[in-house]
Amino acid sequence: MKMPKLVPTCVLLALAGCTQETQNQISRSIQNWTGTNGVLEIYAGDKLVRRFIGIDKLTTASGTTDGGPRAYRYGYGVLDENQNFMRDEGEKKVYFEISDYASNYVFFENPH
């Protein structure tokens, strides 16, 4: 009957032996699997110009032939047109892309 108590101990020991980067990758994998309630805000200077809500994750684009990372991220989220952190009637889920070079943005978990 001691077997069930042994499993969590083994898992903790295995994680302790991982590097910080490996632990971060495991955490992101679990988060990607369980999903998040992400918010993406895009700014022009100090003014909020777009908000997307209900985002599971932002994905870094990769090249078709070389598999290398590209300078933009993409995802799917609800365009929050009135910027109230809620999906209102008429607000739909859309595909979006944001550039690493030209976009000022913040991605965070929805506090509401």
Side-chain angles (χ1 to χ4, degrees):
M1 297 309 279
K2 292 188 179 192
M3 186 62 139
K5 292 182 182 179
L6 184 60
V7 172
T9 302
C10 290
V11 170
L12 287 174
L13 288 173
L15 284 175
C18 294
T19 65
Q20 183 66 43
E21 180 59 26
T22 302
Q23 290 175 16
N24 290 342
Q25 288 174 344
I26 291 169
S27 176
R28 284 190 299 269
S29 296
I30 291 170
Q31 190 174 43
N32 286 344
W33 180 64
T34 59
T36 61
N37 187 16
V39 176
L40 174 68
E41 293 183 337
I42 301 173
Y43 291 87
D46 62 349
K47 182 179 181 193
L48 176 65
V49 293
R50 291 279 187 273
R51 177 181 288 147
F52 297 92
I53 59 174
I55 300 169
D56 289 334
K57 65 179 177 177
L58 290 179
T59 303
T60 301
S62 56
T64 306
T65 55
D66 65 1
R70 296 298 186 244
Y72 70 95
R73 302 185 192 292
Y74 65 92
Y76 292 89
V78 175
L79 177 58
D80 187 11
E81 295 184 47
N82 60 0
Q83 300 176 353
N84 67 351
F85 286 102
M86 296 172 43
R87 183 177 186 165
D88 298 312
E89 188 175 335
E91 294 179 343
K92 299 184 188 297
K93 192 170 194 173
V94 296
Y95 171 83
F96 60 84
E97 294 179 359
I98 51 175
S99 169
D100 286 350
Y101 299 125
S103 302
N104 292 323
Y105 65 90
V106 178
F107 182 67
F108 57 95
E109 185 175 0
N110 193 339
H112 302 284

